[in-house]
Amino acid sequence: MDETTPGIDVRPGSPADAPAILDMLDSAVAWMNARGNTEQWGTTPYSQKTGGVARVQRYTTENAPYIAELAGTPVGALVLDSGPSPQMPIAPAGEPERYVRLLVSDRRRAGLGIGAALLAHAVEETRRAGVGLLRVDCWAGGGGELVAFYERNGFTATDRFLSGSWPGQVLARRVD
């Protein structure tokens, strides 16, 4: 457990966690849409998007998934990989890295530090693997709140990119 977020435990994920991850993603889409953000993840629930269920299943079988729990209930998910998604216009780092492919928390539990706890876990997993670089990409639209969240968690903005008309930001954090 991370001392900065009492009560939140982070454990390795498995394919059995896919339904909980999909539920969190669906809830995040609804939460964003209720606040007028239809550009970040669109308006279709993640579980109904073409390829959405298969992507989450791959995350839990081909990548390194982690689940944040509060009193035994999944409240967040993190997926680490060895680089960015090949579908994104992001160059490899040119050195070994760990890459946050997914970070989502249960919006009904917002403000408890779930995302921060998962990112702290990602830093530890990266260090444990003997890798010195942790990167993530995120939506850079709106007022930049998501970029600011990662910066508050020790990341530095590096490259901006466009995926179609979707504005993105790559952020990096040294962990060595």
Side-chain angles (χ1 to χ4, degrees), residues 10-140:
V10 179
R11 63 167 172 81
S14 75
D17 293 306
I21 295 169
L22 282 166
D23 181 58
M24 286 182 254
L25 288 165
D26 285 350
S27 295
V29 170
W31 180 83
M32 284 186 262
N33 289 181
R35 281 148 187 80
N37 178 348
T38 59
E39 298 169 351
Q40 184 175 346
W41 284 358
T43 56
T44 303
Y46 201 89
S47 62
Q48 295 175 23
K49 288 183 183 192
T50 303
V53 171
R55 182 175 297 114
V56 169
Q57 289 171 337
R58 279 193 311 276
Y59 282 159
T60 63
T61 57
E62 297 174 12
N63 300 116
Y66 297 92
I67 303 297
E69 291 184 332
L70 191 58
T73 300
V75 294
L78 164 79
V79 174
L80 288 177
D81 199 354
S82 59
S85 168
Q87 285 77 42
M88 297 300 275
I90 300 168
E95 68 178 274
E97 69 176 315
R98 288 296 177 270
Y99 205 94
V100 175
R101 292 283 294 274
L102 174 70
L103 177 67
V104 65
S105 63
D106 182 339
R107 299 312 309 160
R108 295 165 293 204
R109 306 281 199 329
L112 297 180
I114 297 163
L118 284 164
L119 288 174
H121 189 79
V123 167
E124 290 308 311
E125 288 296 324
T126 302
R127 188 174 287 125
R128 188 171 306 138
V131 175
L133 179 65
L134 176 63
R135 291 197 308 161
V136 63
D137 64 78
C138 69
W139 186 61

